[in-house]
Amino acid sequence: MDTRNGEVNLAARAHWIPLSGFQLRKAGVQFDAVRVDGDVGRRIADALEVMTAGDPGPIVAEANGRRGIYFLLAPRSTARRTWPTGATCFNAAVGRISYVPVPALRGATWPLSWRCPPYEPDRFVHTMLLLSVVREFLAAA
């Protein structure tokens, strides 16, 4: 990230981010993901941003349908954990193939956008932090 203007350095962007539009990426290869739909997902993203001083790792927001929030985590970090009902995991667990929509950093990507863009190629949402926040918010919902 260029700290002078707050923009993501495109030269250092992760190779799994498309140059334009959006693409589906196979979960479990470059990252795992957890999706929480609707307002609860947005409140979880808000909480993570506060807890991490604005840098929780990459988070993708969906503007239509389920209005899902996708939290991108390190590959192979979600499969052996118990996630509460309301959190959908996307990973490469045995017998499972799943895909996650990933928008470009700029341009027309609707209905997807980066809620929190990836500032470093191998920086992801912290799995245990997300799990504890998701448990807290989904238990209250």
Side-chain angles (χ1 to χ4, degrees):
M1 176 174 171
D2 186 336
T3 55
R4 293 171 293 169
N5 61 17
E7 291 191 14
V8 176
N9 179 355
L10 293 175
R13 76 175 176 76
H15 64 279
W16 46 264
I17 300 172
L19 294 174
S20 64
F22 64 87
Q23 295 180 350
L24 295 176
R25 297 291 189 218
K26 187 175 180 182
V29 178
Q30 285 92 13
F31 57 83
D32 284 3
V34 172
R35 186 188 73 215
V36 180
D37 294 332
D39 291 335
V40 175
R42 282 159 174 69
R43 288 194 303 270
I44 291 169
D46 290 342
L48 287 175
E49 285 184 74
V50 169
M51 296 169 78
T52 61
D55 186 17
I59 301 173
V60 174
E62 187 177 41
N64 67 349
R66 301 172 190 252
R67 294 181 55 239
I69 300 293
Y70 293 85
F71 302 90
L72 305 187
L73 301 98
R76 297 170 299 285
S77 65
T78 64
R80 294 193 178 109
R81 305 193 191 284
T82 303
W83 294 85
T85 302
T88 304
C89 290
F90 297 84
N91 55 43
V94 175
R96 179 177 189 150
I97 298 174
S98 52
Y99 294 87
V100 176
V102 176
L105 292 171
R106 292 203 171 95
T109 62
W110 193 89
L112 302 172
S113 63
W114 285 104
R115 163 98 187 220
C116 298
Y119 292 122
E120 298 174 27
D122 294 322
R123 168 106 164 77
F124 296 101
V125 174
H126 189 278
T127 304
M128 293 309 295
L129 178 61
L130 177 63
L131 181 57
S132 66
V133 173
V134 165
R135 285 180 176 161
E136 183 73 27
F137 275 79
L138 290 179

